[in-house]
Amino acid sequence: MRCHNMKPRISVQPAIWLLSLFFLFLSCATWSPRSYAAGFAASWPYKADVIHSQQMIVVEAKSIHSQTGQLSLQQNIGGQWQSVLSGIPVTLGSKGIGKIKEGDGRTPSGIYRLGSGFGSAADPGGLRISYTRTSNQDYWVDDPFSSQYNQWVNYAGNPDQRWRSYERLQQPLYKYAIILKYNDDPVVSGKGSAIFLHIWRAAGKPTAGCIAMSESNLLQLMRLLDPELSPAIAIGISG
């Protein structure tokens, strides 16, 4: 029998549930591309410190769908990050940034160490990074079913009989290039391969996932890179 002069019991669970919804709404309401961009601007110097890099290539896109962006070279001088090169226009993947899998047309976002330089042309001179001139026997394997996936391989045989998919490294877009150490430690099959800084087809023309720029700007960048500063690259949204 209910006693009508007693107060009803109030369950705590609905109150907690409503409070959780309120905070979820608040977090969603305050998120914006601008706050994401502010996060990238603040995070890359911290992450550079974590990996002990004193020289960072910073690539900024306006959104995850952008096919173009701006590149700068930042250097830690006396504990302060300073721009030594800026305002370099670049082209990005045809589907923007935020690579997930092989062939998705996206440029990776995040921070990656740089590998060596390479190219189909002779060493241009003035470089401190290592540089290898490619031949018609040099390939980058992007066949996810191969044990050599996401690796540079020198092979004298017929590549069509060895891999389902590959890139020839002796080609005009790779007259000069720099390797990004994306998906290399460890290599995950199908996560993406052959990510480079290289020469663009034309201003504003997107890539398959690399970062491209004019030949003169690429050479200027390559000549500024110093292996003793452990150069790396940060790719994100500027807002």
Side-chain angles (χ1 to χ4, degrees), residues 81-92:
W81 286 97
Q82 299 180 28
S83 178
V84 295
L85 182 66
S86 62
I88 303 298
V90 295
T91 56
L92 307 169

Side-chain angles (χ1 to χ4, degrees), residues 10-11 29 33 41 55 60 99 144 149 175 207-208 214:
I10 299 173
S11 173
Q55 195 176 50
E60 298 176 287
K99 192 166 194 66
Y149 177 67
K175 180 180 179 181
T207 70
S214 70

Side-chain angles (χ1 to χ4, degrees), residues 93-96 98-108 141-144 149-150 165 167 182-183 188-195 207-210:
S94 59
K95 301 298 183 181
K99 192 166 194 66
I100 298 173
K101 61 182 181 178
E102 183 70 41
D104 63 6
R106 294 184 178 275
T107 297
V141 181
D142 50 21
D143 175 2
Y149 177 67
N150 201 25
S165 181
E167 285 199 42
Y182 169 77
N183 188 29
V188 177
S189 180
K191 188 178 177 181
S193 61
I195 306 298
T207 70
C210 293

Side-chain angles (χ1 to χ4, degrees), residues 9 15 17 54 57 62 83 88 122 138-139 151 165 169 173 179 197 214-215:
R9 297 178 62 188
W17 181 74
Q54 300 294 302
I57 298 172
K62 289 187 176 180
S83 178
I88 303 298
D138 286 309
Y139 305 91
Q151 295 179 44
S165 181
L169 296 185
L173 295 182
I179 297 168
L197 288 154
S214 70
E215 180 178 332

Side-chain angles (χ1 to χ4, degrees), residues 7 111 143 145 167 213 219 225 239:
K7 292 183 181 179
I111 291 184
D143 175 2
F145 298 98
E167 285 199 42
M213 67 199 82
L219 283 174
L225 294 176

